[in-house]
Amino acid sequence: MDEESQLTEPQDQSCWATLPDVCLRRVFWWLGDRDRSRAALVCKKWNQIMYSAELWRHRTITFSGRPFRVHAAEFESALWYVKKFGRYLENLEIKFLNPYNAVLTRKFQVTMRGLLSCLGKNNNRLKSLSIQYLELDRLVWRNSIRTSFIRSLTFFLKKIGIHLDYLNLKGARMTVEQGCQVLNSLSYLKNESLVSELNLEDFFSHYLAVYSSAQFNKTMAMFRNLVALTLNYSCISDELLENLCENNASTLRTMNIKCHIHDPHGQVIWGMSWAKLARHAPSLKVNFFFERVMKYERLVRILLQEIPARSISLRSCYFSDPDWSMRPTLLDLLPTFRHTLQKLTFEFNNNHESLDEELHLLILSCRKLFYFKIWAFLDVHFVERILKSQKEKQCALRTLKVRIYMNKYETYEEDRTLREIYRKYRRLIDSELNYFVITYSMM
């Protein structure tokens, strides 16, 4: 009997009982909140694993802006999580998707008040905070709700701002006064902020000339450790560039600048301001994203030759202006940055002019260019010319993405030509390129 029991005992014991903690934590890492809670009831060991800090360091909380029953528990579960595990949080991302009415924004504001209050009391680890696309200038945000939310956010940032390394408030769309109030809270305890990454894209409402605000420039002077800064061109001024030069030159590496047609972008920036910043911050790379700002007369006032531009994106979607020409930009303006440009993205409607030759010359002139994406009216043989230049080492692309607009319903012939081009350069494409080329009917 003793020998028989010794033989059967290892078979009866579950392998889960001897699983190392590091493996068990990995299993828990893949489970959702509900499954983790159920698994924690299995035994004392599993319950202890449930409270491992590494399981709760990163969190994305999504609130639906639609009044559906399936989303009713989102607000309660968010508060439950923060009260139970908020002390472990290091990276928090909050999303509030397209709020439908004032009732939902009120519910979100009340939930966020409780959530931020709990985090402010129990958490001293938070390094990264992202709250995107709040769109606080929409009518669904009544004044009292908006004011209460901003007050809660400001009070929270005053408490944890000293620990925060990354802040993303993209799409908040506040007034200048409200925005500066929020940003000033980051420097509440030390009269300076050590945030290294700051995303203020669409942080202010459209049509606001933020660049002329002395309050904004004073607020930005509080930041002393910026590595990456994202903002709209409507915020750029000589004073801002001077502040960055004085306070962040030793750390600043990246500036991402968005210029939208609805944002004020007619201010005059001196080339010497950019030159001074580039000289004192030698590692700085600037990335521009233009939305429907396509005319040469506007672009030439913004894209000054002193800017160390790494990436330029020009997008006009499907809007067309028969008096507009892309040719001067391709031939005269963009080659100015041929020694620094690494990424080019185009999306425009050039139905009234052919630009194949100009685009090809631009690619050849930018010797550091490794990423090229274009959606435009092109000849399919444009792709073959680029691949031929790549094969002859005249360019060094690593990504080539092309959508060829066509003024016809059927594109069988062009698709066949593209397949032949791919077969001809298949070895080159497979070994060197992230390659995506299609035709697209505009009819």
Side-chain angles (χ1 to χ4, degrees):
M1 292 291 293
D2 291 339
E3 292 181 0
E4 187 177 6
S5 63
Q6 290 175 1
L7 290 172
T8 57
E9 184 176 341
Q11 297 176 1
D12 293 337
Q13 187 177 15
S14 170
C15 63
W16 289 97
T18 58
L19 195 66
D21 287 356
V22 64
C23 297
L24 197 55
R25 279 193 293 268
R26 190 61 179 169
V27 172
F28 268 70
W29 188 85
W30 288 101
L31 299 178
D33 291 349
R34 183 172 297 179
D35 291 330
R36 285 180 182 177
S37 298
R38 291 171 177 170
L41 300 175
V42 171
C43 63
K44 183 177 180 180
K45 180 181 178 181
W46 283 29
N47 186 267
Q48 292 173 344
I49 293 295
M50 169 79 163
Y51 287 86
S52 299
E54 51 263 50
L55 293 177
W56 307 102
R57 288 175 181 164
H58 310 275
R59 191 70 173 184
T60 297
I61 300 175
T62 303
F63 300 102
S64 173
R66 300 294 169 178
F68 298 139
R69 290 185 178 180
V70 293
H71 302 304
E74 291 173 344
F75 297 91
E76 290 77 9
S77 63
L79 282 174
W80 169 85
Y81 163 76
V82 169
K83 289 177 181 178
K84 205 170 184 68
F85 304 105
R87 62 184 179 273
Y88 303 124
L89 257 180
E90 295 182 12
N91 302 282
L92 174 61
E93 180 181 13
I94 296 173
K95 298 179 180 179
F96 188 31
L97 306 177
N98 300 316
Y100 179 75
N101 56 33
V103 173
L104 287 169
T105 54
R106 174 64 178 170
K107 192 173 183 180
F108 174 78
Q109 177 262 316
V110 171
T111 302
M112 288 297 295
R113 183 178 61 194
L115 187 151
L116 296 177
S117 175
C118 184
L119 274 181
K121 294 176 182 177
N122 303 324
N123 184 289
N124 60 1
R125 301 185 180 194
L126 195 66
K127 304 292 186 200
S128 169
L129 176 63
S130 175
I131 309 178
Q132 297 189 59
Y133 304 114
L134 291 171
E135 299 179 344
L136 292 169
D137 57 357
R138 290 181 56 194
L139 294 177
V140 293
W141 288 91
R142 292 178 179 169
N143 288 335
S144 58
I145 301 174
R146 184 189 303 111
T147 301
S148 297
F149 172 77
I150 292 175
R151 186 187 304 118
S152 299
L153 178 60
T154 301
F155 187 71
F156 174 69
L157 291 178
K158 285 180 180 180
K159 283 191 171 184
I160 60 94
I162 192 172
H163 306 292
L164 209 59
D165 185 60
Y166 172 86
L167 179 62
N168 184 350
L169 295 174
K170 177 180 180 180
R173 296 201 337 217
M174 302 184 185
T175 65
V176 175
E177 182 180 357
Q178 292 166 344
C180 290
Q181 177 187 347
V182 171
L183 295 177
N184 283 329
S185 62
L186 293 168
S187 56
Y188 176 72
L189 295 176
K190 297 180 63 177
N191 288 327
E192 66 176 21
S193 173
L194 297 180
V195 168
S196 65
E197 295 188 47
L198 184 62
N199 189 335
L200 300 180
E201 179 183 335
D202 295 334
F203 178 64
F204 297 103
S205 297
H206 291 315
Y207 305 105
L208 292 179
V210 185
Y211 60 84
S212 63
S213 169
Q215 184 182 10
F216 173 71
N217 290 318
K218 182 180 178 181
T219 297
M220 291 303 296
M222 296 292 184
F223 292 91
R224 305 298 174 89
N225 191 47
L226 287 174
V227 175
L229 174 63
T230 301
L231 73 177
N232 290 56
Y233 190 75
S234 57
C235 299
I236 300 292
S237 65
D238 291 311
E239 291 77 11
L240 175 65
L241 298 180
E242 182 68 26
N243 283 336
L244 293 175
C245 186
E246 289 183 6
N247 303 321
N248 301 276
S250 62
T251 58
L252 193 60
R253 299 289 182 273
T254 303
M255 285 184 69
N256 303 307
I257 301 175
K258 176 183 177 180
C259 186
H260 193 277
I261 188 66
H262 296 313
D263 288 333
H265 53 271
Q267 70 270 36
V268 176
I269 310 295
W270 290 100
M272 64 181 70
S273 298
W274 278 111
K276 182 179 179 181
L277 178 59
R279 186 168 62 252
H280 287 80
S283 300
L284 176 63
K285 298 292 182 289
V286 183
N287 305 312
F288 277 97
F289 304 88
F290 292 93
E291 293 281 348
R292 295 175 59 192
V293 180
M294 303 293 289
K295 291 188 175 181
Y296 176 81
E297 295 76 15
R298 294 181 178 181
L299 292 172
V300 76
R301 290 165 55 92
I302 298 171
L303 292 173
L304 305 179
Q305 62 182 357
E306 293 84 359
I307 301 174
R310 175 184 179 269
S311 170
I312 296 177
S313 173
L314 293 164
R315 301 177 66 247
S316 67
C317 300
Y318 301 121
F319 296 95
S320 179
D321 183 351
D323 298 326
W324 161 79
S325 174
M326 190 68 181
R327 189 169 284 110
T329 301
L330 297 177
L331 291 179
D332 302 327
L333 180 56
L334 296 184
T336 307
F337 306 99
R338 62 186 177 276
H339 299 300
T340 59
L341 265 181
Q342 298 179 31
K343 296 182 68 175
L344 274 173
T345 301
F346 296 126
E347 180 184 341
F348 48 71
N349 186 343
N350 61 313
N351 189 27
H352 56 287
E353 64 176 349
S354 174
L355 298 171
D356 295 46
E357 180 65 26
E358 291 79 3
L359 288 165
H360 186 213
L361 290 175
L362 178 61
I363 292 173
L364 296 182
S365 68
C366 298
R367 301 301 296 173
K368 292 186 178 181
L369 192 70
F370 69 86
Y371 181 99
F372 183 75
K373 175 182 175 181
I374 182 167
W375 294 4
F377 284 94
L378 302 165
D379 189 280
V380 290
H381 292 287
F382 168 78
V383 176
E384 185 173 17
R385 295 175 67 185
I386 301 302
L387 293 173
K388 184 175 183 293
S389 299
Q390 180 84 3
K391 185 176 182 180
E392 295 173 354
K393 306 300 181 183
Q394 295 177 347
C395 57
L397 294 176
R398 297 202 297 271
T399 296
L400 178 61
K401 297 185 177 183
V402 183
R403 175 183 283 188
I404 302 173
Y405 292 155
M406 309 294 296
N407 272 328
K408 55 170 68 175
Y409 288 105
E410 304 296 344
T411 61
Y412 297 131
E413 183 179 343
E414 289 77 9
D415 292 338
R416 180 177 55 80
T417 303
L418 287 177
R419 287 194 294 270
E420 292 174 355
I421 293 172
Y422 173 75
R423 283 193 292 267
K424 182 178 179 180
Y425 291 95
R426 181 171 183 174
R427 181 174 298 180
L428 172 73
I429 293 170
D430 292 348
S431 62
E432 297 184 14
L433 288 172
N434 175 16
Y435 180 84
F436 176 81
V437 179
I438 63 169
T439 57
Y440 185 85
S441 174
M442 294 288 283
M443 300 299 290

